[in-house]
Amino acid sequence: MAPETSTQIHNIGYRSYDGARLGRAYARRSLYSQSLRGAYGLGRSAKSKVLPMLLFGIMCAPAAIIVAVAIAVPGSTDLPIKYTGYALYLQMVIGLYVASQAPQSVSRDLRFKTVPLYFSRPIERVDYVLAKFAAMASALFVLTATPLLIMYIGALLAKFDFADQTKGFAQGLVSVLLLSLLFSGIGLVMAALTPRRGFGVAAVIAVFVIPFGAVSTVQVIAHETGAPGPIEWLGLFSPITLISGFQSVFLGADSAFPGEVVPSTGAGFVYLLVILGVIAGSYGVLMARYRKAGL
């Protein structure tokens, strides 16, 4: 006959939770807020703040100098650089920011296998992807729009034409908004492909620098050989030239292409469709990447 066993209940100190269940929306907002703060090192160590804050300072310093010069020059009636051209001049700083912060946003979760922990809460794959995408785009918009705001305030203080400055500022905001969404999507996709942050940084830099160098080189060759026709279409194959071509058609920006070639209106709509397609495609790739919680 088997020995009789007894069951015992041990109180190990757990307490029941009687508070409000805040649900997915709160979790999504919290993840967005945490990721946005982390993009500038807020709430993290002092070492983590150095690079994003340094890049933010580098982005804003030329804007302050431009305003100071415009005010100091007698008879000046406009800023020496258009709002839509500012981000193009500092594209390397923007690329470095994305390369440094996109892996920090997603690669660490993959490396330390915290993604399943997120999905064990009342949060789903779509919530995670939306929060990370929105946070990265918001951080990048702050980086690119703040210098434009400095230029705009300086122009108004210098008593430049209000209507012209407001129009230029609005066009610049549209440009950097699209740039922020485009660069954030591409950067997060490249960073999410590997749990190693170093590899993610290298991949993001490569996807911005190599296509731009190749496109610019071929455009210059086409211009020098007297065959400018392909120049407007070559701009479709690099993230920064996509923004440049779009804004030169629809936002009154100066063309950055060789020979100051401005794409046709039809080509401009193609630029817009490609930009929106890449943004939507980046979101789709991220959703597929996080299809399984146990990545």
Side-chain angles (χ1 to χ4, degrees), residues 282-293:
S282 298
Y283 172 79
V285 171
L286 288 172
M287 287 291 290
R289 179 71 176 93
Y290 291 100
R291 188 173 301 279
K292 295 182 179 179

Side-chain angles (χ1 to χ4, degrees), residues 13 19 22 35 49 66 82 100 149 173 203 215 235 240 276 283-284:
L22 300 178
S35 300
K49 297 178 176 66
I66 289 170
K82 286 188 175 182
S100 64
L149 180 61
L173 289 181
V215 167
I240 193 64
L276 296 178
Y283 172 79

Side-chain angles (χ1 to χ4, degrees), residues 212-284:
F212 173 71
V215 167
S216 299
T217 300
V218 179
Q219 284 180 324
V220 170
I221 293 173
H223 174 68
E224 294 296 329
T225 56
I231 291 178
E232 64 177 355
W233 299 109
L234 288 168
L236 295 170
F237 299 98
S238 164
I240 193 64
T241 54
L242 273 172
I243 300 297
S244 177
F246 166 78
Q247 67 180 17
S248 65
V249 176
F250 296 112
L251 301 178
D254 295 331
S255 175
F257 293 166
E260 298 184 349
V261 172
V262 177
S264 64
T265 303
F269 280 108
V270 176
Y271 272 76
L272 178 59
L273 289 175
V274 172
I275 291 171
L276 296 178
V278 173
I279 293 171
S282 298
Y283 172 79

Side-chain angles (χ1 to χ4, degrees), residues 34-45:
Q34 177 192 22
S35 300
L36 178 57
R37 285 168 51 84
Y40 285 96
L42 302 178
R44 299 169 60 202
S45 65

Side-chain angles (χ1 to χ4, degrees), residues 31-246:
L31 182 58
Y32 166 79
S33 175
Q34 177 192 22
S35 300
L36 178 57
R37 285 168 51 84
Y40 285 96
L42 302 178
R44 299 169 60 202
S45 65
K47 181 181 177 181
S48 300
K49 297 178 176 66
V50 173
L51 184 58
M53 291 301 180
L54 177 63
L55 294 175
F56 182 79
I58 294 174
M59 280 293 296
C60 293
I65 295 172
I66 289 170
V67 169
V69 170
I71 294 175
V73 174
S76 178
T77 60
D78 201 357
L79 297 170
I81 296 178
K82 286 188 175 182
Y83 295 96
T84 49
Y86 191 86
L88 299 184
Y89 286 112
L90 294 172
Q91 59 178 288
M92 291 304 298
V93 179
I94 299 172
L96 286 174
Y97 180 85
V98 177
S100 64
Q101 298 309 312
Q104 182 275 328
S105 181
V106 295
S107 296
R108 288 165 58 90
D109 290 343
L110 295 172
R111 182 179 181 182
F112 296 109
K113 302 185 183 302
T114 57
V115 175
L117 297 180
Y118 283 117
F119 294 166
S120 67
R121 302 297 180 184
I123 187 172
E124 297 183 4
R125 175 169 50 110
V126 64
D127 301 313
Y128 182 88
V129 172
L130 281 176
K132 291 293 183 177
F133 202 141
M136 191 70 244
S138 298
L140 196 53
F141 183 73
V142 170
L143 182 79
T144 53
T146 301
L148 303 187
L149 180 61
I150 294 173
M151 293 169 61
Y152 180 64
I153 293 174
L156 295 184
L157 292 176
K159 298 182 179 180
F160 294 161
D161 185 79
F162 176 80
D164 287 344
Q165 296 303 318
T166 301
K167 178 181 178 182
F169 179 58
Q171 291 172 332
L173 289 181
V174 173
S175 175
V176 297
L177 175 61
L178 282 176
L179 183 148
S180 299
L181 291 169
L182 179 66
F183 277 40
S184 296
I186 295 173
L188 288 175
V189 166
M190 300 308 296
L193 293 178
T194 173
R196 302 301 296 270
R197 183 176 180 182
F199 291 159
V201 171
V204 174
I205 292 176
V207 81
F208 287 135
V209 173
I210 294 176
F212 173 71
V215 167
S216 299
T217 300
V218 179
Q219 284 180 324
V220 170
I221 293 173
H223 174 68
E224 294 296 329
T225 56
I231 291 178
E232 64 177 355
W233 299 109
L234 288 168
L236 295 170
F237 299 98
S238 164
I240 193 64
T241 54
L242 273 172
I243 300 297
S244 177
F246 166 78

Side-chain angles (χ1 to χ4, degrees), residues 17-23 26:
Y17 177 74
D18 299 324
R21 302 290 179 176
L22 300 178
Y26 179 81

